[in-house]
């Protein structure tokens, strides 16, 4: 896909997406409802009393560390596992007890699960044949799917004659072919290289919009989740930690866990020193001589221990103290510099040994940058840069 | 391996092959002997082969054997495959250990005991002994071999393939026939061939469970040899050897082809 097309896609999607927020609408009826769902394997609890609503046409991402129960959550919706407790409904119908082949969901498996004895064409046509679709219609739909995943030339090949990325695309085409109400994608883009992966992400969003399907995607890649999803659920140990729009997850994480899991973050332990409406003053352990002002309503009381989460890109590193007295300023020395091309990451050691990371875009092509190892620097951030976390 | 073989390796290979094949080669050579005396060479001839095809008793026995082997292999394959699926799929059920132990018992049970116990059973329930009792007995003892072969394939079978089929709207029954069976088919076919050959050359169990009118080829050969080895028997054995050799060669060519196709496919995948 050329850049121009990608941009256009993004724009049209963006336009519709901005207005899309059924989760804020009390009248909206969720398409998928997990109600107090628990799944145990013997003694082990994989999903723990979890409730979640997903709306029609939503692109919903599950994010979490390995083994936190993402796949299990999906498999319960697809019908391969039955919940130990609780109820799952799809379009108002209780799914518990309905076998997988009677559910209006399709799944793209983490292992692709392509049928090795069938050609790419037959793999994609398999689901359509089960519905006893008419021959011509099947052929047309398969061709369309092959075109979508750019595998027209590979229709006759067997799965073992394809590369990892091609197999993944066949699996995607097969799960899309039936146009299910809900498509479950378990790490769909894991085997693709970065470029193809980004293209496919936009294609997925495009397909989802065009066909009006509901997508539930599992991914390890938080950038991917941020790009494609309307909402993200961050999971840990079978529970949902936070469910919200990507920007909210990133800018207003509700806990250390979410702040730490999504994106890069500096976490400073601090005590609440003073509270005012819409503002809080902290005293960080890493910088005891410097009060830190944060513009935020804080549920904690004076004297409570809290954490201040600061994203690296919101910190400024300078050789001279900032002129504006309202910004928070810490002092330290450069401990290490990581050059990433577009950004440089400065690791600054604060006086009592705590290190923070600050990202600075490389605005010029100068190879010798003015700030270097062991320089004494000022790290500054505005009152609205950080988030106070109480858990 | 460019170094060539040392004298030690050459000798051991020669000895090994001699040990394995000299008896068979002797048998094949003497089947073309013109003389009636087994140990005296009197020139090349097809006489005993012609004779063989006029020996109605031997031909009848061969026909019985083939029918028994075919029926046995087919039924044992169905039952053995079913047992293998149950044992690999339904992880824990009451009596699983007992069941798996019992499926494998005939594998290690001395044939004499299997034969004798089956005979006792057939007598006890008053079954007329003959073609059907031999077949039943052969199914009993070949089924576990099929089960072992199929089970070893099933443990590496990716269950998500079946789940994918179910997910796409295929019923479990259809899924077995369009997904599972085609994929494990090579193992099922090997199981069938194994059961077929096992039944073909069984003497002990067949002797216990047979009745009037149902004499298998191994039984016929054995009883004739007791009256003296005739070149006719050598000819019969040579034909058997030829059949087995052909089957083995076909099987190995098939395996080799598959291997080559797989390698070709891998190169293709790497290139594209
Ligand atoms: N059939 C099963 N029997 C026993 N335990 C299971 C079974 N399936 C999953 N589990 C356990 O449940 C937990 C959650 O598994 P799940 O596959 O949902 O993880 P996941 O979040 O998808 O991880 P990953 O990102 O590695 O795919 C794991 O600890 C796993 O070991
Ligand atoms: Mg998983």
């Amino acid at each position: 896909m050329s850049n121009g097309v990608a941009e256009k896609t993004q724009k049209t999607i963006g336009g519709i997406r901005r207005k899309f927020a059924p989760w804020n609408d009390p009248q909206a009826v969720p398409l998928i409802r997990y109600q107090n769902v628990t799944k145990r394997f013997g003694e082990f609890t994989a999903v723990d009393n979890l409730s979640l609503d997903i709306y029609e046409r939503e692109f919903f991402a599950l994010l979490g560390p390995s083994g936190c129960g993402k796949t299990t959550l999906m498999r319960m919706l697809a019908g391969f596992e039955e919940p130990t407790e609780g109820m799952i409904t799809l379009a108002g119908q209780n799914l518990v007890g309905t076998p997988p082949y009677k559910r209006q969901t399709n799944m793209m498996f983490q292992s692709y699960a392509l049928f090795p004895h069938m050609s790419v064409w037959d793999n994609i046509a398999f689901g359509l044949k089960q519905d006893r679709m008419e021959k011509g219609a099947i052929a047309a739909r398969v061709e369309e799917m092959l075109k979508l995943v750019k595998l027209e030339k590979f229709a006759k090949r067997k799965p073992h004659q394809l590369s990892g990325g091609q197999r993944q695309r066949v699996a995607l085409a097969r799960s899309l072919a039936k146009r299910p109400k809900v498509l479950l994608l378990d790490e769909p883009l894991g085997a693709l290289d970065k470029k193809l992966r980004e293209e496919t992400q936009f294609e997925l969003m495009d397909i989802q919009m065009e066909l009006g399907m509901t997508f539930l995607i599992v991914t390890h890649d938080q950038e991917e989740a941020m790009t494609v999803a309307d909402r993200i659920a961050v999971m840990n140990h079978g529970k949902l930690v936070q469910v919200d729009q990507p920007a909210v997850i990133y800018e207003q994480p509700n806990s250390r866990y979410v702040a730490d899991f999504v994106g890069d973050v500096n976490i400073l332990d601090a005590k609440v020193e003073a509270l005012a409406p819409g503002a809080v003053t902290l005293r960080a352990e890493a910088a005891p001589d410097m009060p830190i002002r944060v513009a935020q309503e804080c549920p904690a009381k004076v004297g409570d221990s809290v954490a201040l989460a600061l994203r690296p890109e919101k910190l400024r590193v300078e050789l001279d103290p900032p002129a504006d007295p309202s910004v928070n300023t810490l002092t330290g020395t450069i401990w290490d510099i990581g050059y990433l091309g577009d950004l440089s990451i400065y690791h600054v050691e604060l006086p009592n040994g705590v290190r923070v990371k600050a990202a600075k875009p490389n605005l010029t092509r100068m190879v010798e940058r003015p700030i270097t190892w062991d320089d004494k620097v000022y790290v500054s951030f505005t009152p609205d840069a950080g988030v106070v976390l109480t858990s | 391996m460019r170094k060539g073989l040392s004298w030690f390796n050459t000798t051991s290979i020669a000895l090994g092959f001699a040990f394995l094949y000299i008896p068979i080669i002797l048998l094949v050579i003497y089947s073309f002997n013109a003389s009636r005396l087994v140990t005296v060479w009197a020139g090349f001839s097809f006489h005993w082969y012609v004779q063989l095809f006029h020996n109605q008793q031997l031909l009848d026995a061969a026909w019985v054997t083939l029918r028994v082997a075919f029926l046995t292999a087919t039924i044992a394959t169905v039952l053995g495959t079913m047992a293998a699926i149950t044992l690999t799929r339904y992880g824990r059920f009451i009596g699983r250990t007992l069941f798996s132990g019992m499926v494998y018992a005939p594998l290690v049970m001395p044939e004499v005991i299997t034969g004798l116990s089956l005979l006792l059973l057939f007598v006890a329930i008053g079954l007329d002994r003959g073609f059907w009792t031999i077949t039943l007995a052969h199914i009993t003892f070949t089924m576990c071999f099929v089960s072992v072969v199929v089970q070893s394939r099933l443990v590496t079978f990716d269950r998500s393939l079946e789940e994918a089929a179910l997910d796409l709207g295929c019923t479990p029954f259809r899924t077995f026939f369009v997904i599972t069976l085609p994929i494990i088919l090579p193992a099922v076919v090997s199981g069938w061939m194994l059961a077929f050959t096992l039944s073909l050359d069984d003497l002990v169990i067949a002797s216990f469970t047979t009745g009037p009118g149902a004499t298998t080829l191994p039984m016929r050969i054995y009883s004739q040899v007791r009256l003296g080895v005739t070149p006719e028997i050598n000819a019969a054995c040579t034909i058997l050897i030829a059949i087995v050799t052909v089957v083995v060669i076909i099987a190995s060519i098939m395996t080799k082809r598959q291997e080559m196709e797989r390698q070709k496919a891998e190169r293709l995948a790497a290139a594209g």
Side-chain angles (χ1 to χ4, degrees), chain A residues 23 77 81 118 129 230 268-269:
Chain A
W23 48 90
L77 188 56
E81 310 280 0
M118 295 184 192
K129 284 182 189 160
D230 294 309
L268 299 177
D269 291 308

Side-chain angles (χ1 to χ4, degrees), chain A residues 1-13 150 198-199 202-203 205-206 210:
Chain A
M1 185 188 280
S2 79
N3 238 357
V5 180
E7 248 161 44
K8 191 173 137 258
T9 309
Q10 213 175 349
K11 249 182 220 146
T12 52
I13 291 173
K150 302 195 180 68
E198 281 170 1
E199 281 178 20
F202 284 113
E203 267 162 36
M205 293 158 76
D206 212 11
E210 212 170 280

Side-chain angles (χ1 to χ4, degrees), chain A residues 75 78 80 100-101 105-107 109 111 113-118 126-127 130 157 160-163 166 174 178, chain B residues 158 160-172 174-175 178-180 182-183 261-262 265-266 268-269 272:
Chain A
R75 288 172 59 84
F80 303 125
Y101 53 94
T105 56
N106 280 154
M107 181 157 175
F109 287 74
S111 60
L114 298 179
F115 307 130
H117 57 302
M118 295 184 192
F126 187 85
Q130 305 311 313
R157 291 222 190 155
H160 64 261
Q161 298 168 318
L162 299 174
S163 72
Q166 291 165 341
R174 188 179 68 180
K178 286 185 81 172
Chain B
D158 182 6
S160 63
L161 293 176
E162 286 169 354
E163 289 182 344
L166 294 176
D167 188 59
L168 292 166
C170 194
T171 60
R174 257 182 71 77
T175 299
V178 297
I179 304 294
T180 317
I183 295 172
E261 237 161 56
R262 201 178 55 78
E266 267 167 16
L268 248 171

Side-chain angles (χ1 to χ4, degrees), chain A residues 41 44 46 64-73 81 110 186-187 220:
Chain A
F41 294 107
F44 181 78
S66 187
C68 70
K70 305 180 296 289
T71 300
T72 308
L73 201 60
E81 310 280 0
Q110 205 166 358
D186 200 349
E187 303 198 21
H220 269 133

